Amino acid sequence: MKLTGIIWPVLLLLTVQKMHAQGCSDAGVCSIHAVKDNTISANEPEAGSNTIKTGPGYAKGERGINIWTWQFEYTRQLSNTFEVSAKINFISASGELAKTNGLGDLFFSFSHAFSKKRNWQLSVLGGLKLPLSNADKSNNGIPLPMPYQTSLGTTDLLLGVSARRNSFGATLAYQQPLNSNNKNKFLQTDYPPASAASKYLSTNNFSRKADIVTKFSYNVKTGKQLSIIPGLLGIYHIANDSYANSTSKVEIINSRGLTLNGILVVRYQVNKKCGFEFSAASPFVVREKRPDGLTRKFVTSLEYFIRF
């Protein structure tokens, strides 16, 4: 094991603290089980076919917004090659405009692993993201921008393919909004130019485009109990988003583009049935405008998992 394989992602996270990017912890395909754990094969021996994972997360959003999350995830391994998963999250955001909280999204997903070929384990994944909010939260009757919403308000199709060899994992995924229940009413022009609210992007009847996600990670096992998993997560937003003003639909120029994050996961197996997982991520390549409210300076989480 090379020490540099562990140090570089830590240094990466420390040196990019002043940058902001699209996060994927709250509402993205990269947060579902099959993508997060892409260095763990579905047909590895497990201490039971059921897994529950839960725990808190914290992120710093745009303009200093504090974002706390709690997620609950259940995964059922139906066979050596097929598993299904469901996840729900709760989000609380507090900043200069307001404090909001509520349920975020409900995820259903599956993954199916094929027979190994030349030491490669290939698998496909799919799922749906269902909104539990229509992104219309307000403060004293005043519409709030997307960074204060607990959901994007969209139903999304999630698709992907993963390849794993030994300790290396690679995933290519796609997230396509199918329809939008987004009822956000925030317009920047409704506020005086000097007000804090005018610093956020307009998202009245917000329409969000698709994402292509790539993830590469390597599982550095330091013993039977501890694994350190550095990686790279790329999110390419394929087209500009849009909103509606009083007369027409307006394209948000430069909301298309690439975000590239450094990620680090530390996984500690207490015994065969349970353990803890700490993860952190921060960007070093960003797209210019991020109206969806998923801007994150950094993302952290600590989860407990148990198998039975």
Side-chain angles (χ1 to χ4, degrees):
M1 178 185 68
K2 294 183 179 181
L3 185 60
T4 54
I6 300 174
I7 291 178
W8 78 262
V10 177
L11 293 177
L12 176 65
L13 295 176
L14 293 176
T15 56
V16 296
Q17 292 185 28
K18 294 184 179 180
M19 300 186 72
H20 297 260
Q22 175 186 335
C24 203
S25 62
D26 309 328
V29 64
C30 46
S31 69
I32 66 173
H33 169 75
V35 179
K36 284 198 305 182
D37 296 336
N38 74 337
T39 61
I40 301 173
S41 177
N43 59 9
E44 286 183 345
E46 303 282 2
S49 57
N50 303 283
T51 302
I52 290 176
K53 182 182 287 188
T54 187
Y58 173 73
K60 182 67 76 171
E62 63 184 276
R63 298 188 59 80
I65 297 175
N66 295 299
I67 302 163
W68 291 93
T69 62
W70 192 283
Q71 76 160 19
F72 182 88
E73 183 179 65
Y74 170 71
T75 301
R76 169 72 175 179
Q77 190 165 325
L78 299 176
S79 70
N80 287 336
T81 61
F82 191 81
E83 62 183 16
V84 293
S85 182
K87 188 185 81 166
I88 191 171
N89 54 22
F90 178 88
I91 299 174
S92 176
S94 61
E96 59 191 346
L97 298 185
K99 180 177 181 180
T100 61
N101 56 73
L103 293 173
D105 297 287
L106 183 61
F107 294 81
F108 295 101
S109 62
F110 74 88
S111 65
H112 173 68
F114 298 99
S115 299
K116 283 187 176 182
K117 292 185 178 181
R118 298 181 180 179
N119 297 320
W120 284 94
Q121 177 75 70
L122 298 177
S123 61
V124 295
L125 60 99
L128 286 174
K129 178 186 77 70
L130 304 175
L132 300 177
S133 166
N134 55 14
D136 67 343
K137 291 184 181 297
S138 60
N139 184 36
N140 296 323
I142 301 174
L144 290 170
M146 287 300 296
Y148 291 89
Q149 306 300 329
T150 58
S151 171
L152 295 176
T154 59
T155 298
D156 294 4
L157 175 66
L158 313 175
L159 298 171
V161 59
S162 288
R164 177 182 179 272
R165 180 170 182 174
N166 299 324
S167 296
F168 173 76
T171 299
L172 175 65
Y174 181 70
Q175 179 168 341
Q176 174 64 57
L178 299 177
N179 58 56
S180 179
N181 293 317
N182 186 294
K183 305 300 182 183
N184 191 268
K185 299 300 180 184
F186 179 79
L187 282 172
Q188 185 186 67
T189 53
D190 288 344
Y191 301 87
S195 70
S198 68
K199 308 301 180 184
Y200 296 85
L201 292 172
S202 296
T203 47
N204 180 55
N205 292 332
F206 181 59
S207 177
R208 190 174 187 272
K209 302 302 182 182
D211 289 316
I212 296 174
V213 174
T214 58
K215 181 181 180 183
F216 302 95
S217 51
Y218 188 82
N219 193 334
V220 183
K221 294 183 178 180
T222 62
K224 293 183 178 180
Q225 293 178 293
L226 183 65
S227 295
I228 300 173
I229 310 171
L232 291 173
L233 174 68
I235 306 169
Y236 186 74
H237 202 56
I238 67 172
N240 288 326
D241 300 325
S242 63
Y243 73 95
N245 62 18
S246 58
T247 60
S248 62
K249 186 175 181 181
V250 180
E251 183 178 356
I252 304 173
I253 303 301
N254 295 324
S255 57
R256 176 181 63 182
L258 174 69
T259 298
L260 188 60
N261 300 275
I263 57 177
L264 179 66
V265 176
V266 179
R267 185 182 181 95
Y268 182 76
Q269 192 87 28
V270 176
N271 53 46
K272 289 183 178 181
K273 290 186 175 293
C274 66
F276 293 90
E277 187 173 285
F278 170 79
S279 62
S282 191
F284 56 92
V285 175
V286 300
R287 57 189 174 111
E288 186 174 335
K289 292 185 178 180
R290 300 163 301 279
D292 48 25
L294 296 181
T295 293
R296 301 292 183 263
K297 185 177 181 180
F298 62 83
V299 177
T300 60
S301 68
L302 178 63
E303 296 177 304
Y304 173 75
F305 60 88
I306 183 169
R307 301 187 179 100
F308 57 94

